[in-house]
Short mmCIF file of all heavy atoms in Angstrom, two decimals:
data_model
loop_
_atom_site.label_atom_id
_atom_site.label_comp_id
_atom_site.label_asym_id
_atom_site.label_seq_id
_atom_site.Cartn_x
_atom_site.Cartn_y
_atom_site.Cartn_z
N LEU A 1512 -15.60 -3.50 23.95
CA LEU A 1512 -15.71 -2.35 24.84
C LEU A 1512 -15.33 -1.09 24.12
O LEU A 1512 -14.17 -0.97 23.66
CB LEU A 1512 -14.85 -2.55 26.08
CG LEU A 1512 -14.76 -1.33 27.08
CD1 LEU A 1512 -16.18 -1.04 27.64
CD2 LEU A 1512 -13.72 -1.58 28.11
N GLU A 1513 -16.22 -0.14 23.94
CA GLU A 1513 -15.91 1.11 23.25
C GLU A 1513 -15.39 2.19 24.18
O GLU A 1513 -15.83 2.31 25.33
CB GLU A 1513 -17.15 1.65 22.57
CG GLU A 1513 -17.55 0.95 21.27
CD GLU A 1513 -18.49 1.74 20.35
OE1 GLU A 1513 -18.64 2.97 20.63
OE2 GLU A 1513 -19.04 1.14 19.44
N ILE A 1514 -14.39 2.91 23.70
CA ILE A 1514 -13.77 4.05 24.43
C ILE A 1514 -13.97 5.27 23.56
O ILE A 1514 -13.35 5.43 22.53
CB ILE A 1514 -12.33 3.77 24.70
CG1 ILE A 1514 -12.11 2.48 25.47
CG2 ILE A 1514 -11.75 4.93 25.51
CD1 ILE A 1514 -10.68 2.01 25.55
N GLY A 1515 -14.93 6.10 24.00
CA GLY A 1515 -15.25 7.34 23.16
C GLY A 1515 -14.01 8.31 23.24
O GLY A 1515 -13.35 8.50 24.25
N ILE A 1516 -13.75 8.93 22.10
CA ILE A 1516 -12.67 9.91 22.03
C ILE A 1516 -13.11 11.29 21.51
O ILE A 1516 -12.31 12.18 21.49
CB ILE A 1516 -11.53 9.38 21.15
CG1 ILE A 1516 -11.99 9.20 19.67
CG2 ILE A 1516 -10.91 8.08 21.66
CD1 ILE A 1516 -10.91 8.90 18.68
N GLN A 1517 -14.40 11.41 21.17
CA GLN A 1517 -14.87 12.66 20.56
C GLN A 1517 -14.77 13.84 21.52
O GLN A 1517 -14.71 14.94 21.01
CB GLN A 1517 -16.31 12.48 20.06
CG GLN A 1517 -16.38 11.59 18.80
CD GLN A 1517 -17.84 11.44 18.38
OE1 GLN A 1517 -18.73 11.00 19.12
NE2 GLN A 1517 -18.08 11.70 17.12
N TYR A 1518 -14.81 13.59 22.81
CA TYR A 1518 -14.87 14.69 23.77
C TYR A 1518 -13.50 15.04 24.29
O TYR A 1518 -13.34 15.82 25.22
CB TYR A 1518 -15.82 14.35 24.88
CG TYR A 1518 -17.21 14.07 24.36
CD1 TYR A 1518 -17.73 12.84 24.33
CD2 TYR A 1518 -18.00 15.12 23.82
CE1 TYR A 1518 -19.00 12.57 23.84
CE2 TYR A 1518 -19.25 14.91 23.33
CZ TYR A 1518 -19.76 13.60 23.32
OH TYR A 1518 -20.98 13.35 22.78
N ASN A 1519 -12.44 14.40 23.73
CA ASN A 1519 -11.08 14.74 24.03
C ASN A 1519 -10.41 15.29 22.77
O ASN A 1519 -9.94 14.42 21.96
CB ASN A 1519 -10.35 13.53 24.60
CG ASN A 1519 -8.96 13.88 25.14
OD1 ASN A 1519 -8.25 14.73 24.59
ND2 ASN A 1519 -8.57 13.23 26.21
N PRO A 1520 -10.41 16.51 22.51
CA PRO A 1520 -9.95 17.04 21.22
C PRO A 1520 -8.60 16.63 20.83
O PRO A 1520 -8.33 16.31 19.63
CB PRO A 1520 -9.99 18.59 21.42
CG PRO A 1520 -11.01 18.80 22.49
CD PRO A 1520 -10.84 17.62 23.40
N ALA A 1521 -7.63 16.54 21.75
CA ALA A 1521 -6.24 16.14 21.45
C ALA A 1521 -6.18 14.71 20.96
O ALA A 1521 -5.52 14.42 19.91
CB ALA A 1521 -5.34 16.33 22.61
N VAL A 1522 -6.84 13.84 21.66
CA VAL A 1522 -6.82 12.42 21.27
C VAL A 1522 -7.62 12.20 19.96
O VAL A 1522 -7.14 11.47 19.07
CB VAL A 1522 -7.52 11.54 22.38
CG1 VAL A 1522 -7.61 10.04 21.90
CG2 VAL A 1522 -6.66 11.62 23.66
N PHE A 1523 -8.75 12.91 19.80
CA PHE A 1523 -9.56 12.81 18.59
C PHE A 1523 -8.70 13.26 17.41
O PHE A 1523 -8.77 12.60 16.34
CB PHE A 1523 -10.81 13.70 18.72
CG PHE A 1523 -11.81 13.58 17.57
CD1 PHE A 1523 -12.56 12.49 17.38
CD2 PHE A 1523 -11.86 14.63 16.67
CE1 PHE A 1523 -13.44 12.37 16.36
CE2 PHE A 1523 -12.74 14.54 15.64
CZ PHE A 1523 -13.55 13.44 15.44
N ALA A 1524 -7.98 14.33 17.54
CA ALA A 1524 -7.18 14.85 16.41
C ALA A 1524 -6.03 13.87 16.06
O ALA A 1524 -5.76 13.64 14.90
CB ALA A 1524 -6.63 16.23 16.78
N LEU A 1525 -5.40 13.28 17.10
CA LEU A 1525 -4.29 12.37 16.85
C LEU A 1525 -4.76 11.13 16.17
O LEU A 1525 -4.17 10.66 15.19
CB LEU A 1525 -3.64 12.04 18.21
CG LEU A 1525 -2.45 10.95 18.07
CD1 LEU A 1525 -1.38 11.42 17.17
CD2 LEU A 1525 -1.99 10.57 19.46
N ILE A 1526 -5.87 10.56 16.67
CA ILE A 1526 -6.38 9.32 16.04
C ILE A 1526 -6.81 9.55 14.64
O ILE A 1526 -6.61 8.74 13.72
CB ILE A 1526 -7.54 8.71 16.88
CG1 ILE A 1526 -7.06 8.35 18.31
CG2 ILE A 1526 -8.11 7.52 16.20
CD1 ILE A 1526 -5.96 7.28 18.36
N GLY A 1527 -7.44 10.71 14.42
CA GLY A 1527 -7.84 11.06 13.00
C GLY A 1527 -6.68 11.24 12.11
O GLY A 1527 -6.71 10.83 10.97
N ARG A 1528 -5.59 11.80 12.62
CA ARG A 1528 -4.35 11.98 11.80
C ARG A 1528 -3.74 10.62 11.45
O ARG A 1528 -3.32 10.35 10.33
CB ARG A 1528 -3.38 12.86 12.56
CG ARG A 1528 -2.18 13.18 11.74
CD ARG A 1528 -1.15 14.04 12.46
NE ARG A 1528 -0.05 14.40 11.62
CZ ARG A 1528 1.12 14.88 12.08
NH1 ARG A 1528 1.32 15.04 13.37
NH2 ARG A 1528 2.10 15.16 11.21
N ILE A 1529 -3.72 9.72 12.46
CA ILE A 1529 -3.19 8.36 12.18
C ILE A 1529 -4.08 7.66 11.12
O ILE A 1529 -3.50 7.04 10.19
CB ILE A 1529 -3.17 7.53 13.47
CG1 ILE A 1529 -2.15 8.15 14.48
CG2 ILE A 1529 -2.85 6.07 13.22
CD1 ILE A 1529 -2.19 7.51 15.86
N GLN A 1530 -5.34 7.75 11.23
CA GLN A 1530 -6.24 7.12 10.29
C GLN A 1530 -5.98 7.63 8.87
O GLN A 1530 -5.85 6.87 7.91
CB GLN A 1530 -7.70 7.38 10.70
CG GLN A 1530 -8.76 6.85 9.70
CD GLN A 1530 -10.11 7.43 9.93
OE1 GLN A 1530 -10.38 7.99 11.01
NE2 GLN A 1530 -11.01 7.25 8.99
N GLU A 1531 -5.93 9.00 8.72
CA GLU A 1531 -5.78 9.62 7.44
C GLU A 1531 -4.41 9.25 6.82
O GLU A 1531 -4.30 8.98 5.61
CB GLU A 1531 -5.90 11.07 7.52
CG GLU A 1531 -7.36 11.55 7.82
CD GLU A 1531 -7.48 13.04 8.07
OE1 GLU A 1531 -6.39 13.71 8.05
OE2 GLU A 1531 -8.56 13.48 8.41
N GLU A 1532 -3.39 9.27 7.64
CA GLU A 1532 -2.01 8.97 7.14
C GLU A 1532 -1.87 7.51 6.68
O GLU A 1532 -1.29 7.23 5.66
CB GLU A 1532 -1.02 9.28 8.26
CG GLU A 1532 0.43 8.96 7.90
CD GLU A 1532 1.02 9.91 6.78
OE1 GLU A 1532 0.28 10.69 6.23
OE2 GLU A 1532 2.22 9.77 6.57
N THR A 1533 -2.54 6.56 7.42
CA THR A 1533 -2.48 5.18 7.02
C THR A 1533 -3.23 4.93 5.74
O THR A 1533 -2.72 4.20 4.86
CB THR A 1533 -3.07 4.34 8.17
OG1 THR A 1533 -2.40 4.64 9.44
CG2 THR A 1533 -2.90 2.85 7.89
N HIS A 1534 -4.35 5.59 5.58
CA HIS A 1534 -5.11 5.43 4.32
C HIS A 1534 -4.30 6.05 3.16
O HIS A 1534 -4.23 5.46 2.10
CB HIS A 1534 -6.47 6.12 4.44
CG HIS A 1534 -7.49 5.35 5.22
ND1 HIS A 1534 -8.76 5.84 5.53
CD2 HIS A 1534 -7.45 4.15 5.76
CE1 HIS A 1534 -9.39 4.94 6.26
NE2 HIS A 1534 -8.65 3.88 6.36
N ARG A 1535 -3.73 7.20 3.39
CA ARG A 1535 -2.94 7.86 2.35
C ARG A 1535 -1.81 6.96 1.88
O ARG A 1535 -1.54 6.81 0.72
CB ARG A 1535 -2.36 9.20 2.82
CG ARG A 1535 -1.51 9.93 1.81
CD ARG A 1535 -0.59 10.93 2.44
NE ARG A 1535 0.44 10.29 3.29
CZ ARG A 1535 1.51 9.69 2.83
NH1 ARG A 1535 1.74 9.57 1.53
NH2 ARG A 1535 2.36 9.19 3.69
N PHE A 1536 -1.13 6.38 2.83
CA PHE A 1536 0.02 5.50 2.53
C PHE A 1536 -0.38 4.28 1.74
O PHE A 1536 0.27 3.90 0.77
CB PHE A 1536 0.71 5.11 3.82
CG PHE A 1536 2.09 4.49 3.64
CD1 PHE A 1536 3.04 5.09 2.89
CD2 PHE A 1536 2.40 3.29 4.32
CE1 PHE A 1536 4.30 4.53 2.82
CE2 PHE A 1536 3.64 2.73 4.20
CZ PHE A 1536 4.59 3.34 3.45
N ALA A 1537 -1.48 3.65 2.13
CA ALA A 1537 -1.99 2.50 1.44
C ALA A 1537 -2.48 2.80 0.03
O ALA A 1537 -2.14 2.07 -0.89
CB ALA A 1537 -3.09 1.84 2.24
N ILE A 1538 -3.21 3.88 -0.10
CA ILE A 1538 -3.80 4.28 -1.39
C ILE A 1538 -2.65 4.63 -2.35
O ILE A 1538 -2.74 4.27 -3.57
CB ILE A 1538 -4.77 5.41 -1.19
CG1 ILE A 1538 -6.02 4.89 -0.53
CG2 ILE A 1538 -5.17 6.01 -2.58
CD1 ILE A 1538 -6.97 6.04 -0.03
N THR A 1539 -1.61 5.35 -1.88
CA THR A 1539 -0.55 5.73 -2.78
C THR A 1539 0.15 4.44 -3.31
O THR A 1539 0.50 4.36 -4.49
CB THR A 1539 0.42 6.54 -2.01
OG1 THR A 1539 -0.18 7.78 -1.59
CG2 THR A 1539 1.66 6.93 -2.88
N TYR A 1540 0.38 3.46 -2.43
CA TYR A 1540 1.02 2.21 -2.77
C TYR A 1540 0.17 1.46 -3.84
O TYR A 1540 0.63 0.94 -4.84
CB TYR A 1540 1.33 1.38 -1.59
CG TYR A 1540 2.03 0.05 -1.85
CD1 TYR A 1540 3.08 -0.04 -2.80
CD2 TYR A 1540 1.70 -1.09 -1.17
CE1 TYR A 1540 3.75 -1.23 -3.02
CE2 TYR A 1540 2.34 -2.30 -1.42
CZ TYR A 1540 3.37 -2.36 -2.32
OH TYR A 1540 4.03 -3.53 -2.58
N GLN A 1541 -1.15 1.42 -3.54
CA GLN A 1541 -2.01 0.66 -4.45
C GLN A 1541 -2.05 1.27 -5.85
O GLN A 1541 -2.04 0.62 -6.87
CB GLN A 1541 -3.46 0.63 -3.84
CG GLN A 1541 -4.30 -0.51 -4.33
CD GLN A 1541 -5.02 -0.21 -5.63
OE1 GLN A 1541 -5.15 0.89 -6.05
NE2 GLN A 1541 -5.47 -1.30 -6.26
N ARG A 1542 -2.06 2.60 -5.88
CA ARG A 1542 -2.10 3.30 -7.22
C ARG A 1542 -0.78 3.06 -7.91
O ARG A 1542 -0.78 2.95 -9.18
CB ARG A 1542 -2.33 4.82 -6.95
CG ARG A 1542 -3.78 5.18 -6.61
CD ARG A 1542 -3.90 6.61 -6.25
NE ARG A 1542 -5.32 6.94 -6.00
CZ ARG A 1542 -5.75 8.06 -5.38
NH1 ARG A 1542 -4.80 8.95 -4.98
NH2 ARG A 1542 -7.03 8.28 -5.20
N ASP A 1543 0.38 3.07 -7.18
CA ASP A 1543 1.63 2.80 -7.84
C ASP A 1543 1.65 1.44 -8.51
O ASP A 1543 2.12 1.27 -9.61
CB ASP A 1543 2.79 2.92 -6.81
CG ASP A 1543 3.07 4.38 -6.38
OD1 ASP A 1543 2.58 5.27 -7.09
OD2 ASP A 1543 3.77 4.52 -5.39
N LEU A 1544 1.18 0.44 -7.77
CA LEU A 1544 1.15 -0.88 -8.31
C LEU A 1544 0.25 -1.03 -9.54
O LEU A 1544 0.61 -1.63 -10.53
CB LEU A 1544 0.65 -1.94 -7.23
CG LEU A 1544 1.64 -2.24 -6.07
CD1 LEU A 1544 0.99 -3.13 -5.06
CD2 LEU A 1544 2.92 -2.84 -6.61
#
Side-chain angles (χ1 to χ4, degrees):
L1512 175 65
E1513 281 198 16
I1514 303 168
I1516 62 172
Q1517 288 179 305
Y1518 302 108
N1519 188 322
V1522 174
F1523 184 73
L1525 175 61
I1526 298 299
R1528 188 181 181 195
I1529 292 171
Q1530 176 194 347
E1531 290 173 2
E1532 178 68 352
T1533 306
H1534 283 175
R1535 179 201 64 77
F1536 192 51
I1538 289 168
T1539 299
Y1540 182 40
Q1541 205 275 343
R1542 285 175 177 164
D1543 287 346
L1544 288 177

